[in-house]
Amino acid sequence: MNKPTSQNAFETPQVTTGPLPGSRRVYTSPATALHLKVPHREIDLHPTANEPPVRVYDTSGPYSDPDAVINVETGLPRWRTALIEQRGGVESYEGREPTPLDNGGATGKYLAREFPVRHRPLRGNGTGPVTQFEFARAGIITDEMIYAAERENLGRRQALEQAAANIADGESFGAAIPEHVTPEFVRDEIARGRAIIPANINHPELEPMVIGRNFLVKINANIGNSAVASSVEEEVEKMVWAIRWGGDTVMDLSTGKNIHNTREWILRNSPVPIGTVPIYQALEKVGGIAEDLTFDIFADTLIEQAEQGVDYFTIHAGVRLPYVPLTANRVTGIVSRGGSIMAKWCLAHHKESFLYERFEEICEIMRAYDVSFSLGDGLRPGSTADANDRAQFAELETLGELTRVAWDHGCQVMIEGPGHVAMHKIKANMDKQLETCGEAPFYTLGPLTTDIAPGYDHITSGIGAAMIGWFGCAMLCYVTPKEHLGLPDRDDVKVGVVTYKIAAHAADLAKGHPAAKLRDDALSRARFEFRWEDQFNLGLDPETARDFHDQTLPKEAHKVAHFCSMCGPKFCSMKITQEIRDEFGSARAPNSVDEAEAGMAEKAREFNAKGGEIYLETKD
Amino acid sequence: MNKPTSQNAFETPQVTTGPLPGSRRVYTSPATALHLKVPHREIDLHPTANEPPVRVYDTSGPYSDPDAVINVETGLPRWRTALIEQRGGVESYEGREPTPLDNGGATGKYLAREFPVRHRPLRGNGTGPVTQFEFARAGIITDEMIYAAERENLGRRQALEQAAANIADGESFGAAIPEHVTPEFVRDEIARGRAIIPANINHPELEPMVIGRNFLVKINANIGNSAVASSVEEEVEKMVWAIRWGGDTVMDLSTGKNIHNTREWILRNSPVPIGTVPIYQALEKVGGIAEDLTFDIFADTLIEQAEQGVDYFTIHAGVRLPYVPLTANRVTGIVSRGGSIMAKWCLAHHKESFLYERFEEICEIMRAYDVSFSLGDGLRPGSTADANDRAQFAELETLGELTRVAWDHGCQVMIEGPGHVAMHKIKANMDKQLETCGEAPFYTLGPLTTDIAPGYDHITSGIGAAMIGWFGCAMLCYVTPKEHLGLPDRDDVKVGVVTYKIAAHAADLAKGHPAAKLRDDALSRARFEFRWEDQFNLGLDPETARDFHDQTLPKEAHKVAHFCSMCGPKFCSMKITQEIRDEFGSARAPNSVDEAEAGMAEKAREFNAKGGEIYLETKD
């Protein structure tokens, strides 16, 4: 079904490059690891602000750095390879030979062009730790941990330098967010199973990041062709586009033909962890017939993708045979693709799931490459009617059981969660997940808080995502406006990412993340002082903000005008407030009504002395 | 600054009419009041659904009824006048003569055309109750109460007929939502001050509705020109457009010239309550100079607007002189226009606010027309940094004091709330409002849960709105994507309204409103059964849902196709679930894992007997 994409007709993917408005990609090196160059983004403010640039977390990769040489044909620099080889425990080997089946049997003009460079894969050779979890348990701080700590710390030193009033408060529901993230803290969180750094040793292009309840809330953006739409070129640009706006990880959910080649292009050009659902490709390999799936085909697919460098696999090993009938009376049955594939296999063979029965073998494969588990919620509710039912929670209990098995095999684990859940049932999901799965990071899809708004499910789910992020969810899988209706285009991906950045940031604020409110406050000051450009640039989407502003007040002059379109030039509430502030300078401002009333008596005398004409200047 | 709109050049406002897709406006008459025709909307489902039409709350007015004769030049039928006159206590009188100042001094070609019909106003004559609050306290159930009860009951009888499994659960935080709303319940809630029916006796075109914690959560849409944009014609259509998508009330926040004439056109054509902020017009009358405001000018403006039929007034009587300096150290000072006008007045004169000092006189004016108070939060936070501070809560305490004064004068009251509040500080707002203001309905703007997303503040605020609606807020004032940036256009109004319908409905679901989940479940069934048209039509915005679907799968045939674009035709998770359901019919479906395991043994025998080929049909 895919579009013809012959080797000759294939165009080099065009990707979006250049800095975001008003900002620069900058790098810092941790004191303990000067060989690391950790990226951030700094937003410059107008000179009248008299404030330093605002530093924010940067997911965009080298694409936003004008000094970086971007060549999609060769991929990003493979800077981690030397570090991985140096710490040992791995071997380079010939690797699995790709087969036509890997691309769904696409041949001739239907076969997407191969990525031009072929790399020999690495794998663990059993002589030492390979995964971040194994290193953490062994008490070893890896470069990835140092790197991730440095990213998380963004602005924290700044935060501590602020006045006490500026220190974040918050309610973190038992999370343990430190004021300053040390590499040792990252190591400890990973060793406890409370955090992961998805970082396949065959994805050396990665800029490592950490996912866990005591770190910034992360978001995932899904891309992927499907049998009826999209193309290879579009997918690479979708990934670059999604991380430009803030995607912390990207899942490639491609189905149909050319899966293997598409994924290679994405991985070689991705600075963020890439996740997949290997059962999708395995299903392609058996012609779409779920009951023809075998463990061997599945395991071969895991190795294929692990050698390419996929950082985390969604594996629906919790969809057990006895749980399947629990979904029969649901309003929307099983809506997870992976879940329904496994349900169908279980029923057709009348056997327990091979993913569940042979889970330890899966662990061994994933351990050898440090592919993290994302234990899939194949029985998640597809409607608010089905939320928190027996099928969903039975599977969650099994995921908790499997988490411990995976840990015993040295693997990193996170747990996927719903789905469609009305607001009053969200916290129970988070609490049960923490309890059942030993605090392994939770990674939810939304949840959508109502079913009645197709076309707006980024919003129905953004509400639930913000709430569950506050309650302790570590990563939020985005939902685009096209959810339930069609495939997202470029604009939908951006809207989905920005909506989920809002949810994640709202959660960080509410949890009391030490640095989160610095950006809000900087933007609020810019807004108050009519620094329009700063307001745009500090926002999550400067381009849209500027465009909206210019629709009403298109003249360049208005961007420094001391009024906004809501009130017009004559009367402006913010302008009046500025006058009040000029009158009651910070030193003299009262802290209570009593103090204010006392101060007022004095003010009255001053006013009379001045003839009460303080605001005379506004009459013109 | 307004555009020239001479009497001759003025075009009759063109408004959007016709039913929403797949639905009809229907009317019911309560058994106790057969003279009332209460509107609802019924969405018809595809015959294969074998389900009755889904009835939903309808705010759209006669505009969506093809049988209604719409003539914007004469306005909607003034059906309540006879009822109001019949129950007595009111007199018809000549009314105030509009002055050029009422339209900001607009003359000649700059003066907007007057509404063609002039009606004599009514007012209370002191011989009996006038306001809904007075009737309620006197134990009298008005037609408006019966009407509002009938609207609220929508689907409730249906709900009770559903299986027990379908009855809503929820956490209502101390609200007392009945299974069935009786007129007596509405009366009692109004008498307690826990609900209001904004219904000026000079707005007889109104379709009455009730605002309170124990009713469906309502939303307000703001319209209004400003000094730099918009026109009279656009404002009438904006009102019709906003209620078409679900606005329960509309606030006309116009400033600048032609305010009086614009408002008359809106009121005569509005089936929903119209709110205003009279201080905006009063400020126009003194040339925009806040310190020139007087009580007489303000009171005259109240009478002018009350005679026109405005249903509720935002009055910032809680901005007291001693509170003003409490805002001096805020990040964003005073951001409410009304609040800053009064703050400026207080400081300039060094006197207590005339709104506060002469509040009882204001009550007497509002009582005579049954204009409801919306006590304004002039000191609301304009940034998350300023949330829940001393200034905000000092004002809220004063609003509680004024609520009791207004009740003593027979007036209906609701309380406005913030604003910008991070998630962890939202519930404190609701709890404090309930406690301080004697459970008078709370009416909040958002709140916005982060400041960093200009261009997306419908979403930052939709999150907070859903949460505070769940916690007990009675009405949510929408925020559009243009908030902080510019004036909303037609699309922005729609997006704002739909976003807030999502928030309100998510809150209704979470509170456990008996009928709320019926619509979700009907849509989920449609989704599961691939009834695409039903899924579109049951949604809040059928047009956008259809458009998004057609972008990926444009062919008409796909609308009945048993797959969606996410999975493609070959593999579809919902299709597989259907097969599981066919296998495990509702009668045989287990309720626990144990039962399921026992049933499985039996299934195994059946499978073997059938040769295990249950899913053979999917291979083709």
Side-chain angles (χ1 to χ4, degrees), chain A residues 322 329-330 333-334 340 344 347 450-452 456 482 486-487 520 540-541 551 565 573 577 581 586 607 618, chain B residues 329-330 333-334 340 344 347 450-452 456 482 486 520 540-541 551-552 565 573 577 581 586 596 607 618:
Chain A
N329 279 347
R330 281 179 158 189
I334 300 176
S340 57
K344 184 161 183 175
L347 283 176
T450 167
D451 308 308
I452 67 165
Y456 298 79
K482 291 272 171 64
L487 289 172
D520 293 77
L540 290 175
D541 179 359
Q551 284 175 27
S565 60
S573 60
T577 301
R581 181 183 287 187
S586 56
F607 263 71
T618 65
Chain B
N329 280 348
R330 282 180 156 188
I334 300 177
S340 57
K344 184 160 183 174
L347 284 176
T450 167
D451 309 308
I452 68 165
Y456 297 80
K482 293 274 171 63
D520 294 77
L540 291 175
D541 179 359
Q551 285 174 26
T552 304
S565 60
S573 60
T577 300
R581 180 183 288 186
S586 57
F607 263 71
T618 65

Side-chain angles (χ1 to χ4, degrees), chain A residues 30-31 149-160 176-186 214-215 513-515:
Chain A
E150 181 79 1
R151 287 185 97 171
E152 290 286 321
N153 270 332
L154 191 72
R156 268 198 176 128
R157 259 162 259 155
Q158 273 177 284
L160 298 177
I177 302 165
E179 290 199 344
H180 187 263
V181 174
T182 61
E184 167 57 20
F185 181 77
V186 175
N214 292 320
F215 302 102
H513 189 286

